[in-house]
Amino acid sequence: MVIKMRLDKYLSECTGKTRSQVKALVKKGLVTVDGVPAKSPDMKIDETSSAVTMDGKTLSYEKYVYYMLNKPEGYVSATNDNLHKTVIDLLSGENTRDLFPVGRLDIDTVGLLLITNDGALSHDLLSPAKHVAKTYEAILDGIVTDEDITMFKTGVDIGEEKLCKPATLKVVDIDENKGHSRVYITITEGKFHQIKRMANAIGMDVLFLKRLSMGSLVLDPALSPGEYRRLTEDELNSLRSK
Ligand code: URA
């Protein structure tokens, strides 16, 4: 069955323009469907096969879009906020309607954030039942011991009804002078401020926190803070097959 879509909805979703803006363009005869100027903004088109142009440019419809963002500090993981800039603001120039971040990173956390309009994929990645692994690089203000590593493996008590699920704490390097440890932490849950609370449970504060991966998706080292790119087909297929 071919699902038909209203032309003005299609135009607005492809371009990010409002319905009234695209309606005006249709009225001016600047939109064609299969080579013929569109007569009315409410005509139905097949979004998968109709050839649509607007202002001479060929449009293509993508139902879902997927961006990998290297989140910088100072941005909130939300779609809008009265006080702070949001991660969606970083995708300026894109059609950001319906986009949202998959999960949250704190305002001072940096690194991998997936941004999409695909609610089903987001739900799958965030579902506690799926145990999607997330790896973070962190600098902790203390020297990590073997007991700390064992505690992470067993399940840290962060004051909730249940212990955290087993997590890995791997020391990357120790700065004896400063008394800091650089570590990789992998968790399979997404509790509020989980990494910071796990660090607090071993008597340390997190000085720096960066997400490196989520499931099979790994932060592209070519992305500087604030930069983003589309996911590749391979990245998307691997994420979906989790
Ligand atoms: N854990 C935290 O404490 N903060 C984050 O941003 C992500 C995980």
Side-chain angles (χ1 to χ4, degrees), residues 104-106 109 136 193-196 209:
R104 281 165 190 270
L105 293 179
D106 298 335
T109 301
Y136 295 82
H193 295 327
Q194 182 160 347
I195 299 284
K196 292 173 185 167
L209 188 58

Side-chain angles (χ1 to χ4, degrees), residues 63-69 71 76-81 86-91 94-105 112-127 211 214 217 228-229 231 236 239-240:
K63 189 161 188 210
Y64 296 121
V65 287
Y66 307 86
Y67 296 100
M68 172 192 293
L69 169 72
K71 179 191 172 297
V76 291
S77 300
T79 49
N80 44 60
D81 190 273
T86 76
V87 289
I88 304 297
D89 294 332
L90 291 163
L91 276 75
E94 308 295 341
N95 176 7
T96 54
R97 177 133 24 112
D98 299 335
L99 290 184
F100 57 86
V102 176
R104 281 165 190 270
L105 293 179
L112 177 67
L113 194 60
L114 174 62
I115 296 185
T116 184
N117 55 350
D118 184 344
L121 180 71
S122 170
H123 181 268
D124 268 4
L125 291 171
L126 299 177
S127 159
R211 183 154 64 191
M214 180 180 201
L217 191 63
Y228 65 91
R229 68 156 170 80
L231 291 201
L236 188 55
L239 261 191
R240 283 198 176 121

Side-chain angles (χ1 to χ4, degrees), residues 222-236:
L223 293 176
S224 301
E227 289 187 338
Y228 65 91
R229 68 156 170 80
R230 297 263 188 150
L231 291 201
T232 64
E233 281 287 304
D234 281 353
E235 285 170 337
L236 188 55

